[in-house]
Amino acid sequence: MFKKLLIANRGEIAVRVIRACRDMGISPLAVYSEVDERALHVRMADAAYPIGPAAATDSYLRIDRILEAARRSGAEAIHPGYGFLAENADFSQACRDSGIAFVGPPPQAMRDLGLKTEARKLMRAAGVPVVPGTLDALDSIDQVRQAARDVGFPEAPIALKAVAGGGGKGLRMVSDPAQLETAFRQAMSEAGAAFGDASVYLERAIERPRHVEVQILADQHGTCVWLGERDCSIQRRHQKVLEESPSPAVDDDLRRRMGEVAVRAAQAAGYTNAGTVEFLLAPNGEFYFLEVNARLQVEHPVTELVTGLDLVREQLRVAAGEPLGYGQEAIHRRGYAVECRIYAEDPRNGFLPSIGTLVGYRPPAGPGVRVDSGVEEQDAISVYYDPMIAKLIVHGATRQEGLDRMARALREFLVMGVKTSVPLHRWLVDHPAVRAGRVDTGWLERTLSAGELAAVGEGDVEAVALAAALLADASRATSAVSPDTDHVELTRPGSAWRLAARQASMR
Amino acid sequence: MADTTYEVTIGGRVVRVSLRRAQDGLFARIDDGEEQPARLDTVRGTMRSLGIGDTRTELLAGRDPDGGIRLTLHGSEYQADVVDAAHARLASVAGARQSTSTRLELKAPMPGLVVKILCEVGDEVAAGTPLTVLQAMKMENELALPRGGTVRSIAVSAGQTVEQNQILLVVE
């Protein structure tokens, strides 16, 4: 096993990997940008190396500086986390060329899976079901029209997708033939801007699908196992908001079939290490290959809580060349797990990102509750990086127990200084459609309204008003005794209540 | 100190809180409800314990740089403006500037680039109407205010970069 591991990331995932290193007796090493000098992941590591200014393109995306840090530190391996360089085949290759183990799949598998048309060809050849559509990029509107007709357009809607794509960029759904040409142009220009590759291909649009993905684990000796599914159907703008396992829409037979297909997909691509095979699950129970996420995913703890495996530990063992040492029959799933991604954004105000200092931060704890976070009280949420504050993951014996427990944990989660998505999650876990498991990938955007969210915590307003009045009153009592003592934190003269207090004290 | 009534504005809703100081502690009446014993203890930092009648609840509370009070209860954050009702009435009788709560400043929630101004001075705007578009964190964000009014002044123009908390426009 490695003695030293460099983590080419920041925030909660860097902290997560550091903890696995400690469990395994590996020395964890961090990198950091100028604004992260005192960040939690830097403090927890055995050593930390500066790699440049705040902007990610000047630091966490700088392959040269990260490899230089690895050389200086004597690290034998690099864990890329997720995001940043995690799915960059050039980075994976550069690590290899420097004699450093990359904790992830081999560069060729990454390249093949990174292009959606290549991935679709690979999967079709391996007998993995793909959504009907083109296997190559489309060059002209005539080709688009023909390909659309071939999959039943306009009776069935189609989707234009970026070949190099992901995250909904360069994606256009079309049901009206008059909009086909415009949509094609828009998809190309968006894909070009986002990925530097304007190529677009076409698929039949699956209506009201669920997003169900299968976690796999493959060693370098030919063993590949599937660890069960995660249902990530609750999404907003193609970003996952809540992830759960098992899926309320998957029974044992479907789970086994999806798992076996996922293993076949991974093996077709020559995949090793931890990966996720994403599927669209149609309302009729048919499922289709969507893509492979060639990295550890944000929502991996959901699978960890259900299987009892430490996925980062397994990643490091695989990267070090160890065999998994167990087969499919050793994988057992127990109970139910669900994750909420707590973002610094205001769900009541158009999901506006919220930045600032966490003047108050008290995460939940207790039975079945796990919080993966890269911040603590007084830390800042900046404009430079992903505004995720924490991942809240809970485990329960059943889905109902898990969702009840999540409601409890969300109630306990107190953050002050930035707005958070907690009110959205509180609304979600109590929603009848979520409780009934009747959602699809478009459900949240169709259902979410300002009025629904405004009702969350409405019953608390009187208590909040009382607390605010008591706080103002206490400060006023203090300033009457000694008007110049400004002992309450964050106070600035000139506010309404302070002026009132000053005048009252002089009456 | 004499009894005091506060008007607490939270997200467009106004709650009247009357406080009475007695030998055996503080008593509060919320709107037209029953009077109940009330207390707010500071545990440490922003962590407080609120007692109403026989019930207790924990919450975070502290002061905002711009004078309001910020509170977090049961996972949700609230912003509260507190004014002394008697003082607000006196000020308005004296013809002084009306209660500061009618003046609303739209501030940049983060550093960014003003892409568009969606209103003009003199416009009547409703609560939640997008007033400007601010590009920040790789996204275009429409900015609105929790209450409506008349646009009094616009301090920035399209194409301008702004700092966090910079005033963009004022609605009264």
Side-chain angles (χ1 to χ4, degrees):
Chain A
M1 184 46 65
F2 312 118
K3 289 189 178 63
K4 290 181 174 183
L5 176 94
L6 186 85
I7 300 144
N9 214 303
R10 63 179 303 283
E12 72 87 14
I13 193 59
V15 171
R16 162 75 187 86
V17 176
I18 287 170
R19 288 186 166 135
C21 286
R22 294 278 179 223
D23 285 347
M24 299 172 75
I26 298 168
S27 172
L29 309 168
V31 294
Y32 63 94
S33 73
E34 278 167 12
V35 289
D36 278 342
E37 196 175 351
R38 291 175 192 174
L40 185 61
H41 79 279
V42 173
R43 303 201 302 271
M44 287 177 71
D46 281 343
Y49 301 85
I51 49 167
T57 45
D58 299 325
S59 49
Y60 295 104
L61 290 169
R62 283 289 296 261
I63 294 177
D64 54 341
R65 290 188 187 154
I66 288 167
L67 286 177
E68 174 56 26
R71 272 190 288 271
R72 271 172 57 202
S73 67
E76 304 140 271
I78 293 183
H79 195 300
Y82 54 72
F84 295 132
L85 295 168
E87 290 181 275
N88 184 316
D90 294 338
F91 180 55
S92 167
Q93 187 69 53
C95 290
R96 280 201 167 188
D97 296 346
S98 309
I100 295 169
F102 175 81
V103 182
Q108 193 54 46
M110 267 177 162
R111 287 198 184 96
D112 291 344
L113 295 168
L115 291 176
K116 296 217 169 170
T117 43
E118 292 309 305
R120 279 164 62 82
K121 282 179 205 163
L122 255 174
M123 294 307 147
R124 214 165 84 150
V128 173
V130 298
V131 183
T134 64
L135 291 178
D136 290 297
L138 299 163
D139 299 325
S140 69
I141 184 63
D142 290 336
Q143 280 186 1
V144 172
R145 288 212 175 89
Q146 183 58 48
R149 270 196 299 276
D150 290 347
V151 295
F153 186 78
E155 285 72 36
I158 56 107
L160 290 160
K161 293 186 172 183
V163 167
K169 292 202 180 77
L171 170 69
R172 281 289 179 286
M173 305 287 243
V174 191
S175 50
D176 177 3
Q179 283 168 2
L180 198 57
E181 190 162 1
T182 316
F184 178 51
R185 283 216 195 91
Q186 283 174 346
M188 294 226 306
S189 100
E190 209 172 286
F195 311 110
D197 177 354
S199 9
V200 167
Y201 73 101
L202 180 146
E203 286 178 1
R204 193 175 78 209
I206 306 295
E207 289 182 89
R208 303 215 168 184
R210 297 183 79 103
H211 174 114
V212 178
E213 58 187 33
V214 177
Q215 176 73 51
I216 59 106
L217 204 48
D219 67 16
Q220 299 183 32
H221 310 278
T223 300
C224 181
V225 296
W226 55 272
L227 304 180
E229 83 284 13
R230 292 183 293 256
D231 190 319
C232 317
S233 299
I234 300 179
Q235 302 185 355
R236 188 182 159 274
R237 295 188 177 174
H238 305 283
Q239 300 296 312
K240 297 164 185 169
V241 174
L242 183 145
E243 301 108 338
E244 58 183 337
S245 184
S247 163
V250 175
D251 61 17
D252 286 344
D253 175 60
L254 181 57
R255 176 173 306 111
R256 185 185 45 76
R257 284 191 290 131
M258 290 180 100
E260 286 168 5
V261 166
V263 166
R264 213 183 307 151
Q267 286 174 332
Y271 198 94
T272 61
N273 216 292
T276 298
V277 185
E278 295 188 335
F279 297 103
L280 286 179
L281 177 62
N284 66 3
E286 296 283 314
F287 63 91
Y288 304 95
F289 171 82
L290 195 59
E291 63 181 16
V292 173
N293 287 139
R295 60 165 191 274
L296 184 70
Q297 280 192 289
V298 175
E299 61 270 30
H300 75 274
V302 170
T303 299
E304 292 186 323
L305 293 189
V306 171
T307 60
L309 283 168
D310 175 340
L311 286 178
V312 176
R313 169 192 281 266
E314 298 308 296
Q315 282 196 296
L316 296 178
R317 289 181 52 234
V318 167
E322 291 183 17
L324 281 182
Y326 48 82
Q328 191 61 49
E329 68 290 346
I331 307 298
H332 300 288
R333 286 167 297 281
R334 189 180 60 88
Y336 167 87
V338 55
E339 173 181 275
C340 290
R341 300 185 185 190
I342 312 300
Y343 277 100
E345 62 186 17
D346 186 359
R348 291 175 165 132
N349 190 8
F351 290 86
L352 196 65
S354 182
I355 61 167
T357 301
L358 298 173
V359 293
Y361 181 74
R362 208 287 308 274
V369 175
R370 167 173 166 181
V371 178
D372 280 16
S373 177
V375 294
E376 294 180 318
E377 193 164 290
Q378 299 304 331
D379 282 347
I381 304 294
S382 78
V383 293
Y384 298 108
Y385 311 112
D386 184 82
M388 193 168 73
I389 300 173
K391 302 188 307 205
L392 171 58
I393 315 104
V394 309
H395 185 267
T398 61
R399 189 165 185 269
Q400 182 176 338
E401 186 182 294
L403 289 172
D404 287 348
R405 182 166 275 165
M406 179 58 89
R408 183 268 287 177
L410 288 165
R411 209 179 120 96
E412 258 179 53
F413 210 146
L414 301 180
V415 177
M416 202 170 79
V418 298
K419 293 280 195 298
T420 76
S421 54
V422 170
L424 170 72
H425 294 297
R426 284 189 69 200
W427 172 77
L428 272 175
V429 297
D430 284 337
H431 197 285
V434 175
R435 287 284 174 154
R438 279 197 303 271
V439 297
D440 58 76
T441 57
W443 175 84
L444 179 56
E445 286 182 70
R446 287 195 308 273
T447 313
L448 186 64
S449 71
E452 297 247 3
L453 278 179
V456 175
E458 208 167 42
D460 286 335
V461 169
E462 290 189 352
V464 170
L466 174 59
L470 288 170
L471 194 63
D473 194 66
S475 308
R476 172 178 172 157
T478 313
S479 44
V481 177
S482 117
D484 294 321
T485 310
D486 202 6
H487 80 289
V488 182
E489 69 284 355
L490 294 176
T491 307
R492 203 169 66 179
S495 67
W497 67 266
R498 258 197 84 81
L499 283 175
R502 286 240 170 86
Q503 283 161 19
S505 71
M506 287 185 284
R507 260 181 220 141
Chain B
M1 189 177 291
D3 299 353
T4 320
T5 297
Y6 293 96
E7 284 180 1
V8 185
T9 308
I10 297 169
R13 184 169 156 196
V14 180
V15 180
R16 283 175 73 86
V17 180
S18 303
L19 298 181
R20 180 173 66 83
R21 241 169 248 285
Q23 290 275 307
D24 49 346
L26 202 56
F27 292 82
R29 182 193 307 280
I30 298 169
D31 290 331
D32 298 322
E34 291 277 306
E35 191 182 74
Q36 300 181 86
R39 60 184 295 172
L40 184 70
D41 300 318
T42 299
V43 181
R44 86 190 93 76
T46 55
M47 179 63 79
R48 325 271 176 172
S49 175
L50 172 72
I52 319 169
D54 295 333
T55 62
R56 303 191 67 84
T57 182
E58 58 168 1
L59 75 161
L60 303 179
R63 212 140 277 124
D64 247 358
D66 61 7
I69 291 175
R70 236 189 245 221
L71 311 98
T72 299
L73 175 62
H74 296 155
S76 296
E77 195 189 73
Y78 302 84
Q79 248 145 337
D81 284 310
V82 183
V83 291
D84 177 335
H87 176 258
R89 215 164 36 242
L90 273 177
S92 104
V93 168
R97 196 176 72 171
Q98 283 192 329
S99 160
T100 49
S101 63
T102 65
R103 180 186 152 91
L104 275 176
E105 293 168 344
L106 180 67
K107 292 178 179 177
M110 66 209 102
L113 174 76
V114 178
V115 179
K116 243 182 258 174
I117 308 279
L118 303 169
C119 60
E120 287 177 34
V121 173
D123 282 0
E124 293 287 332
V125 293
T129 310
L131 301 174
T132 67
V133 179
L134 183 73
Q135 188 181 2
M137 303 176 85
K138 298 177 193 164
M139 298 206 309
E140 292 205 346
N141 304 288
E142 291 185 339
L143 305 184
L145 283 168
R147 283 206 311 278
T150 309
V151 179
R152 286 293 172 220
S153 60
I154 298 175
V156 293
S157 49
Q160 190 177 336
T161 48
V162 293
E163 296 301 316
Q164 186 180 15
N165 286 328
Q166 189 172 335
I167 295 172
L168 306 178
L169 52 87
V170 176
V171 168
E172 251 173 320

